[in-house]
Amino acid sequence: MTATWDPTASGVLRLPSGRLIRGRGLRRPLPRGPEPAFALYLLGKEPPAVDWEARWVRWPDFRLPTDRGATAAALREALERSREERVEVACGGGLGRTGTALACLAVLDGVPGDEAVAYVREHYAPRAVETPWQRRFVRRFG
């Protein structure tokens, strides 16, 4: 991995493969340190412009993504790019949608769907993945 996050930094999830992905809430200031090379923004409305490459997934707060196929493709792209780039996944608060996306990335990285929420809660944030339908989405993802 050539460009990566500090694995000890707050909000950085280490997947079983060793890939690092930063999760965060967009309502908080940008963390100190390097900027992402690629970001996946999970919001109900288009995010503001940023100085790095980004994809927007339409995903209303406390709900599920509006286009599940496009979401799966965006998550696969984020996982692939995390091999050599700093990848960030973010929503408004950094817990529900971001936690759900991180859990889906864990599934893509080999964590069983029924264990992925617990994995993200242990390694990212204890309150990640906020709703029952988000937990069900992760269990069925893959």
Side-chain angles (χ1 to χ4, degrees):
M1 288 189 237
T2 54
T4 190
W5 298 110
D6 174 357
T8 64
S10 177
V12 174
L13 173 68
R14 180 184 295 277
L15 293 168
S17 64
R19 295 179 192 194
L20 302 171
I21 298 183
R22 181 172 76 186
R24 77 175 181 104
L26 294 171
R27 290 191 295 265
R28 285 178 250 154
L30 186 67
R32 291 189 352 218
E35 294 178 341
F38 176 77
L40 190 55
Y41 295 128
L42 318 167
L43 299 166
K45 62 180 182 173
E46 191 168 357
V50 291
D51 293 335
W52 47 86
E53 188 177 353
R55 299 268 183 280
W56 169 42
V57 171
R58 187 181 301 271
W59 192 331
D61 202 6
F62 296 106
R63 303 210 185 275
L64 296 175
T66 58
D67 184 335
R68 294 179 190 192
T71 300
L75 289 168
R76 284 185 182 90
E77 178 183 4
L79 183 64
E80 180 57 34
R81 292 180 76 151
S82 71
R83 180 179 298 227
E84 295 189 13
E85 297 177 68
R86 285 183 301 277
V87 172
E88 169 177 271
V89 175
C91 65
L95 294 174
R97 294 166 285 182
T98 296
T100 302
L102 292 173
C104 290
L105 289 168
V107 169
L108 292 174
D109 202 54
V111 176
D114 61 347
E115 297 174 20
V117 171
Y119 182 89
V120 169
R121 287 179 173 172
E122 179 181 349
H123 299 286
Y124 171 67
R127 293 182 17 234
V129 191
E130 295 174 312
T131 68
W133 41 91
Q134 289 172 341
R135 289 190 296 274
R136 186 172 48 248
F137 182 78
V138 172
R139 277 194 312 272
R140 296 177 178 173
F141 187 81

